[in-house]
Amino acid sequence: MLESYHLQVLERSMNAATLRHRTITNNLANIDTPQFKSQQVIFEGYLQEELNGKIGTGKLAAYRTNERHIPFSNAGGFAMPQVVSNPNSYVQNSGNDVDLESETTELAKNQIWYSGLTQLTAGHFQKLRSVIEGGGK
């Protein structure tokens, strides 16, 4: 139960949010660096494809020697975050394309997203704790 698919998705989402935070803060730290190109993290689209069953369909499925054996869950690919160049950026005279307003907006959105993920994760473990303790007898 501790390695449920739901918990794996939460973990990968939190890792993506952490990577996004690092990427945004790196962009902000280099706001005055000439020729610096901002980056962004893409993950949610890949996760949606995974949840819709589109990722992993071309992967090699696990082989079971007998249909009574326990099946391999989630055989195939998992959505993973990727850091890419920011295609929607406006290049300034210095060659730098970091936009303070959009970066701080993205940072705030990411902090809210991460907070929600931590609350979902805490709720998952609170349910486990309740079951272990006997459901509040």
Side-chain angles (χ1 to χ4, degrees):
M1 175 164 272
L2 289 178
E3 299 210 13
S4 71
Y5 181 68
H6 175 74
L7 195 56
Q8 290 174 3
V9 169
L10 285 172
E11 177 186 12
R12 285 185 286 128
S13 297
M14 289 176 74
N15 288 341
T18 301
L19 179 61
R20 181 173 287 122
H21 183 85
R22 276 190 253 137
T23 303
I24 293 170
T25 55
N26 183 55
N27 290 344
L28 290 171
N30 287 289
I31 197 163
D32 291 326
T33 304
Q35 304 301 319
F36 180 79
K37 303 299 178 204
S38 65
Q39 296 179 318
Q40 66 181 6
V41 174
I42 52 174
F43 174 71
E44 287 76 10
Y46 293 143
L47 180 62
Q48 190 62 48
E49 288 178 3
E50 176 187 331
L51 296 175
N52 292 337
K54 294 179 183 175
I55 290 182
T57 55
K59 302 281 184 181
L60 180 63
Y63 176 72
R64 294 188 302 165
T65 57
N66 189 310
E67 64 274 353
R68 294 177 296 173
H69 291 167
I70 297 173
F72 292 92
S73 63
N74 306 320
F78 289 109
M80 298 303 289
Q82 293 183 359
V83 178
V84 297
S85 293
N86 193 349
N88 302 324
S89 58
Y90 171 75
V91 179
Q92 301 168 12
N93 289 337
S94 66
N96 186 314
D97 66 354
V98 179
D99 179 22
L100 179 63
E101 188 174 323
S102 69
E103 294 293 335
T104 53
T105 301
E106 288 300 314
L107 187 61
K109 284 173 30 180
N110 191 57
Q111 288 172 333
I112 293 168
W113 174 244
Y114 189 83
S115 177
L117 291 170
T118 57
Q119 289 176 9
L120 286 171
T121 304
H124 179 82
F125 286 110
Q126 182 61 37
K127 290 175 193 171
L128 286 176
R129 182 178 181 179
S130 176
V131 169
I132 290 169
E133 291 177 350
K137 297 181 188 180

